[in-house]
Amino acid sequence: MENQTSTQSSYQDVERLTSLLRFLYCTNETFVIASALFLPFILTYLVTLRRFRTVLRSNKKGKEPPTLPYILPILGHAVPFAWDTRGTISIITKRFGHTVPVCLRLGVVDLTFLSGSDNLLSIWKQSQKLTTKGYRVLFANKMFGFPKSASSFYMADNSGLGNSPHPDSNIPPEHRIDYLTHSSVARFLTGPGLRPLSQRFIEHLAKQLSNNCIGHDWESLSDLYSIFQTDVFRAAITAAFGTYILFLNPDFCQDFWAYDESLPLLAKGFPRWLTPAPYKARDKCLENIKKWHRFTKGISQNAKSVNYNDWDPYFGAGVMRYRQELYSKMEAMNSGGVASEDLGLIWAANANAIPCAFWFIMEVFRSPSLLLRVRSEVESCLIQSSTAEMAFDITKLCNNPLLQSIYAETLRLRVFQFVIRSPDRGDLNVGDWFFPKNKLIAISSYTAHMDKTIWNTGSVEDPHPIEDFWADRFLVYPGDSGSGPLKTSAIAQDERQKNESPQGPRFSTEGLAGIWIPYGGGQRMCPGRHFAKQEIILTCAMMSIMFDIELDAPGGSIPESDMRGFGFGAMKPESSAPCRIRRRVRWSDLVRY
């Protein structure tokens, strides 16, 4: 019996040992497999961390910005950047402030984020050394569907943005696409060339808002933004591109906003097989534009003489006919390339100004006191005229201090874009940092617009956090040293008081060249910014006196910004904006004979 018990005990010991060995073997095998799987990520992080710390600890001037450590070989930061762009930018700013530029590795592309007002002013001053070709490589080709021939033609242009080509360039004058496209927009959308377009916009917007279905009795509207996507969009398109682009494409309005909705997926480079809908929306818009081009081509060829200052129903503003003639001399700009250029122009002009006009109106109508102030200022700018397009003193309206302040604050709070530049004439030095030729530099307006250390946030008694809308943020009041957009020193306040008007507040953007950057900066600042400003202010002026609007959201709250479009310009509303609305007056009733 004793031997049997001993034998059983021995068997149990062997089984326990066998089980232990099996466990150790399996554990070791799991450990080996896990090590093989995670070792590349661990090594990648350790190597990139060491390089990052080495650069940060170096006291050498003229050093290249450090690359933020990452764990994904090849992809680098591409996944977190695409997934949560704003969060990534916020982390960089929080950890490194505005003095250290940080490079992100986005697959095969390195993108260095630069911030800080001094750094940005240095960039703007060196604009002649910079190009926007990096933006085209990263985003524009994908967003607007440029054919390879047109993209290569653009990339080959090394003549610069000056009136005279760069001495090292051998590009024929008629092939200077970068200069010609930029200067043509600047020529027709600044100074005397801007007035006819603005007047035409007022005329068409007055017709759209007067003829829509909103009556004099209160009615519910499921989404106020829809008025901007239809009435304002149609007026802007007709003023700039004529009536036939909409006549030939009755669904162009819906097609455009469907395309705009899917644009972030296009810009982030998701392949067509994975996300076919965005490509389909883009292709539809391009086909609409090509149809318009085919129609106007015959009109252009049969024209005996052209006055580019005139508007016509086929091309719209003179700049559009002028652009078509420029492209006709560029062999590489086939129908696809020209359509992509116009899609880019239509998107830049409407996908930014129209959402900003919406946010402007939302902020005004959510505050009864602000609405009274705005209506008073707008009504003072009405003039006697028998024509709708002249019923506003445009200069007086768009130079009104309060309206300009609301406009500027709206763009500060709602325009979050990446300004992409790269040095193409040689290396570039910015402060203590060195950027080699062709290095992509990204400037985030979000970082600049949300800098609590620079912007005025009110007083302890009357706080106005940087995240909140403040209609008076850009106004300087006589005798009020705490007013104005910036946190200022006593010396700056004394200097500022020399320019104060005793008659009332003045609008000020002094000292904001490296801080308020909704249109970029330097030589390549958006050439359409003057029309965008007039479009936004004119839209809001007309709607404020033509309609009563009550927001249906609890407490008069407004939608949040849709951060899926972060980095591409003006933020769209994340959700609908239900309201009650009624007509106060028709535009024709305001025209005084």
Side-chain angles (χ1 to χ4, degrees), residues 305-536:
S305 61
V306 177
N307 183 352
Y308 294 113
N309 293 321
D310 289 342
W311 181 92
D312 71 72
Y314 303 104
F315 292 93
V319 63
M320 298 311 302
R321 182 191 288 268
Y322 184 72
R323 281 165 56 93
Q324 298 303 314
E325 294 181 2
L326 291 177
Y327 296 139
S328 69
K329 300 174 184 177
M330 305 173 185
E331 297 82 1
M333 292 298 291
N334 55 24
S335 61
V338 179
S340 295
E341 280 282 352
D342 278 354
L343 178 58
L345 183 62
I346 292 171
W347 179 82
N350 293 280
N352 292 290
I354 288 177
C356 286
F358 165 78
W359 293 119
F360 190 123
I361 281 292
M362 292 295 286
E363 296 292 356
V364 168
F365 276 92
R366 76 187 298 200
S367 170
S369 60
L370 180 58
L371 177 59
L372 288 175
R373 293 171 64 192
V374 167
R375 281 177 172 165
S376 175
E377 300 293 344
V378 170
E379 289 170 358
S380 71
C381 297
L382 288 169
I383 60 176
Q384 290 187 355
S385 174
S386 60
T387 56
E389 67 267 22
M390 293 296 291
F392 270 132
D393 183 334
I394 298 176
T395 302
K396 182 179 179 182
L397 182 76
C398 293
N399 287 326
N400 179 274
L402 175 61
L403 299 181
Q404 287 192 98
S405 182
I406 298 173
Y407 155 80
E409 176 71 347
T410 299
L411 268 61
R412 182 196 68 81
L413 197 59
R414 302 294 181 177
V415 176
F416 300 144
Q417 65 166 335
F418 295 138
V419 181
I420 309 293
R421 300 286 188 268
S422 59
D424 67 338
R425 298 294 174 192
D427 301 331
L428 185 75
N429 289 290
V430 179
D432 294 335
W433 301 95
F434 164 80
F435 297 87
K437 182 179 178 180
N438 297 324
K439 185 77 170 181
L440 291 177
I441 304 170
I443 297 164
S444 169
S445 64
Y446 174 80
T447 303
H449 292 176
M450 294 294 171
D451 188 350
K452 298 178 182 179
T453 65
I454 295 179
W455 289 96
N456 184 359
T457 53
S459 61
V460 175
E461 298 79 15
D462 185 26
H464 295 280
I466 198 69
E467 299 85 4
D468 293 348
F469 176 86
W470 181 19
D472 292 41
R473 198 182 300 272
F474 288 79
L475 294 180
V476 177
Y477 284 87
D480 184 357
S481 60
S483 63
L486 298 177
K487 295 180 185 292
T488 54
S489 65
I491 297 177
Q493 292 166 5
D494 292 341
E495 184 66 27
R496 179 177 60 181
Q497 288 170 1
K498 296 178 183 179
N499 299 320
E500 288 180 352
S501 170
Q503 298 178 351
R506 65 180 177 86
F507 171 71
S508 175
T509 55
E510 295 172 10
L512 301 183
I515 304 164
W516 187 72
I517 53 171
Y519 298 109
Q523 188 182 29
R524 293 182 178 273
M525 184 182 291
C526 173
R529 63 191 181 277
H530 302 294
F531 178 64
K533 176 183 177 181
Q534 293 195 358
E535 181 182 349
I536 293 168

Side-chain angles (χ1 to χ4, degrees), residues 61 64 88 123 153 213 216 240 276 539:
K61 285 193 174 183
E64 202 169 334
T88 303
I123 283 283
F153 177 72
C213 60
H216 290 278
T539 298

Side-chain angles (χ1 to χ4, degrees), residues 82 99-100 163 267 288 361 453 465 582:
T99 57
V100 179
N163 292 332
N288 289 339
I361 281 292
T453 65
R582 69 179 179 184

